[in-house]
Amino acid sequence: MLRGRLALASVYLCFVCLLGLTLQLPAKPCANDIFAKLEALVGEVHNLEGLNCTLYTPTTEDFKQNCPKSTLKCLADEVKVLTEELEAFNVSGMHEFPLIKNLRRLAVRIKKTESNCPRCELLIEKEAKLFLKDLHTILEMMNFSNCN
């Protein structure tokens, strides 16, 4: 049996090792794989004539300041609306578009508490092309701060 300083050092070393195993930092949301899916949607929107829909569009300030989780949830909901609009134009395969799931997964991974976040329905409405541009900007900003 260990005694004295050796025993104390062994207990301390075990404590530090166990503490290091249990206090792993949560993974930050990173959207490297989402850009190809976003570009597919952008391509569909740019190829359509007569698409006349507006979408509630969060700003980069909404994401940066205090509402990253609700911003991503709103973006996912509005991408769903956009894919439903594309289905009305007989664009096939949009009903199971994986971009929506990816945005929702990213929102779940954000652990920051939010306060005073505006509801999605209270945000500015923009046409689909501008909405997608803002979505791209927000995802790039998220990657810049989390994926380095």
Side-chain angles (χ1 to χ4, degrees):
M1 183 164 184
L2 298 175
R3 295 181 186 213
R5 291 184 187 169
L6 187 57
L8 185 60
S10 297
V11 169
Y12 179 75
L13 183 60
C14 287
F15 176 73
V16 169
C17 290
L18 289 174
L19 187 64
L21 290 174
T22 58
L23 291 179
Q24 295 178 356
L25 296 174
K28 291 186 176 184
C30 188
N32 283 330
D33 60 338
I34 208 167
F35 287 103
K37 297 166 186 147
L38 179 58
E39 291 306 315
L41 184 59
V42 168
E44 291 294 340
V45 168
H46 282 291
N47 290 334
L48 279 179
E49 293 292 326
L51 180 66
N52 188 18
C53 69
T54 57
L55 303 160
Y56 299 112
T57 308
T59 64
T60 55
E61 290 303 312
D62 292 329
F63 183 82
K64 282 193 295 188
Q65 295 303 321
N66 58 349
C67 301
K69 187 175 205 162
S70 62
T71 297
L72 288 174
K73 285 181 182 179
C74 179
L75 290 168
D77 292 342
E78 293 304 297
V79 168
K80 184 171 178 19
V81 169
L82 180 57
T83 57
E84 290 169 359
E85 290 287 331
L86 291 174
E87 284 177 354
F89 280 87
N90 294 325
V91 176
S92 62
M94 288 311 222
H95 61 283
E96 295 181 6
F97 202 67
L99 178 60
I100 300 164
K101 290 180 183 177
N102 287 43
L103 288 169
R104 288 188 177 142
R105 276 191 211 123
L106 288 171
V108 168
R109 291 176 70 189
I110 294 175
K111 302 300 181 195
K112 182 179 178 181
T113 57
E114 298 181 339
S115 61
N116 299 324
C117 297
R119 287 189 8 220
C120 194
E121 296 80 18
L122 299 176
L123 299 172
I124 296 171
E125 291 184 63
K126 292 185 181 180
E127 67 176 35
K129 291 177 184 178
L130 294 175
F131 168 81
L132 292 171
K133 182 180 177 188
D134 288 353
L135 171 57
H136 191 272
T137 302
I138 289 170
L139 292 174
E140 279 183 336
M141 184 175 51
M142 185 175 66
N143 277 0
F144 181 76
S145 61
N146 295 336
C147 300
N148 294 332

